[in-house]
Amino acid sequence: MRSLRVGNASGFYGDRFDAVREMLTGGELDVLTGDYLAELTMLILGRDRLKDPGGGYARTFLRQLEDCLGLAHERGVRIVANAGGLNPAGLASRIRELADRLGLQTKVAHVEGDDLTARHPGSLAAHAYLGGFGIAACLREGADVVVTGRVTDAALVTGPAAAHFGWGPGEYDRLAGAVVAGHVLECGTQATGGNYAFFAEAGPGRDLRRPGFPLAELHEDGTAVITKHPGTGGFVDVGTVTAQLLYETQGARYAGPDVTTRLDTVELTQDGPDRVRISGVRGEAPPPTLKVGLNRLGGFRNEVVFVLTGLGIEAKAALVREQMAPALAKVTHVDWDLVRTDRPDAGTEETASALLWLVVRDADQESVGRALSGAAVELALASYPGFHVLAPPGKGSPYGVFEDVYVPHGAVDHVAVLHDGRRIRVAPAQETVVLDHPPTPSLPAPLPPGPARRAPLGLVVGARSGDKGGNANIGVWARTDEAWRWLAHTLTVDRVRELLPETAELPVTRHDLPHLRALNFVVEGILGEGVAARHRFDPQAKALGEWLRSRHLEIPEALL
């Protein structure tokens, strides 16, 4: 059976608008996917739905189809996207109206059943992560466009693959191979050089100013090749694919609604310029429960940034904290952070200045709104010398809280709604296995002793980090066998806590992935109540890996 070419045109709600046209015109495709949903996006769409019950979907996607639906129809490319958000039926209806207006005979289907908000009083949005078999049912019945709500990101690829190759629910190795390909594609240009640790080494012919979006050539046996359209920017190599494969994953067992994918079995090989082959992937039965992302409003948040310039930075910070204390006495959550961006004898005022961040959160808007604003503004002529702030504090804005809960597969009514109104119920997983840690893999022998010097970790290894609710993961990988031998024995949990003091008091778990020459660290609770609560400076842990790479330790000279 011929391979299936699946491309991606969106990694998040707000990604490059022209990517849909670029992917449709840049080369051959069978299916074009778009990932529009993240934990924060579900909260945003939930607030949209409060204002407009007919909304709750990614409006950008509809505008992209206004431009490109005819082009997709002309080229025979089917479109699968999770842009339906909280209202896939509403989006499907709007697309049908668009197709009629354009004079196109487009069959539009949607997947529903993920919305469990009514079962979780007090939540703004509660949605189960569905698998790919609802998408597959729509495509098998002839759909040209399939929109979904909250499915797993990889389901946008496993669904088309299952439909094309005729895979059933128990074909775990094949499904797991498609999950890996889907995970690589889901964040768009992060697989083609975007946000890549070694971007400075891209070299001639690897223009990173506008990376092309990735595509996967999937095969019936579950193997795949990650590539991109000819002539597009960026590049695809084992490093870029490894980086994305480690992004926002946790243990070696990567659980999903259709299959648990063994990330410790994945093998990546360069298959030519801008081509990376994925093989060896093993799958197991999914766990007995489905993850449900629960979003709720947590209260109100406000912030003010005081600029401290010149001498006596610590004393200035202490004074303003004392002056603000009465106004903050009844606020539930108060966080101060002094960011020392100042330098001695600086040549510019900006480089002579430090930033003192004050972030407050409370259930009462008044406590973090006018009370805070008034107290901060009143210090304008009564505080430290050189007093000013980056911007006046506002009236306090609502913030969200994200958490995971789990329900049995049978608690969700997973349904494919076809273009003609027929409804196909997708059966829950019949075989499940409770998730457990796999056996600890054997590690290579450590490097023999030799001369070393103190240098940044990032000279030897790459990293990529991200968020899962209140937790963060840091994937770290080596590019050579020698560097892996050193990394595997050097970067322990204790060493990570030493290099990243913010993690010192938090639970940190290390997962070994020898086939990828990689380690994955999960740091629990570092992001508080999730990205929408903006608990820390980098609320999605996007740069946590780059901070780790910048830290210095003794590195063998043979690796430098």
Side-chain angles (χ1 to χ4, degrees), residues 223-413:
T223 62
V225 172
I226 304 298
T227 184
K228 63 187 185 70
H229 283 325
T232 56
F235 62 99
V236 179
D237 67 13
V238 169
T240 64
V241 174
T242 299
Q244 176 54 28
L245 190 53
L246 294 172
Y247 181 64
E248 293 184 344
T249 58
Q250 299 190 20
R253 280 192 165 107
Y254 185 52
D258 298 324
V259 61
T260 292
T261 302
R262 289 291 297 266
L263 296 180
D264 54 351
T265 64
V266 178
E267 297 179 9
L268 304 178
T269 53
Q270 199 71 38
D271 195 48
D274 292 322
R275 292 178 63 84
V276 171
R277 181 170 296 277
I278 299 171
S279 61
V281 187
R282 302 300 300 272
E284 301 168 344
T289 56
L290 295 176
K291 175 181 172 180
V292 178
L294 205 65
N295 287 275
R296 59 181 173 82
L297 294 178
F300 296 88
R301 180 188 182 281
N302 208 348
E303 69 176 46
V304 58
V305 183
F306 301 90
V307 183
L308 316 174
T309 305
L311 304 177
I313 296 294
E314 298 283 353
K316 290 171 179 174
L319 174 59
V320 76
R321 290 185 64 161
E322 291 174 3
Q323 291 178 308
M324 290 294 296
L328 304 176
K330 296 182 180 180
V331 176
T332 306
H333 298 285
V334 178
D335 294 299
W336 291 95
D337 190 13
L338 178 58
V339 184
R340 295 302 300 264
T341 51
D342 56 303
R343 306 175 198 166
D345 195 22
T348 66
E349 182 178 338
E350 186 172 358
T351 55
S353 300
L355 302 177
L356 178 62
W357 289 73
L358 168 62
V359 178
V360 293
R361 288 176 291 149
D362 197 275
D364 176 36
Q365 186 174 15
E366 176 67 22
S367 297
V368 299
R370 293 179 182 175
L372 173 74
S373 303
V377 171
E378 288 170 6
L379 295 180
L381 304 178
S383 190
Y384 58 85
F387 178 97
H388 65 285
V389 297
L390 289 185
K395 61 183 181 180
S397 58
Y399 73 89
V401 173
F402 177 88
E403 61 181 307
D404 297 338
V405 296
Y406 293 85
V407 299
H409 284 257
V412 173
D413 192 19

Side-chain angles (χ1 to χ4, degrees), residues 448-468:
R453 62 183 169 89
R454 195 165 180 80
L457 176 63
L459 295 183
V460 177
V461 304
R464 179 166 286 167
S465 56
D467 65 317
K468 281 293 181 186

Side-chain angles (χ1 to χ4, degrees), residues 34 42 75 137 319:
M42 297 299 281
R75 297 189 170 229
L319 174 59

Side-chain angles (χ1 to χ4, degrees), residues 411-444:
V412 173
D413 192 19
H414 188 178
V415 177
V417 184
L418 305 182
H419 58 280
D420 57 8
R422 285 181 294 141
R423 299 172 65 85
I424 299 177
R425 185 174 183 272
V426 179
Q430 299 302 302
E431 179 186 13
T432 62
V433 175
V434 175
L435 202 64
D436 193 12
H437 293 296
T440 302
S442 58
L443 297 177

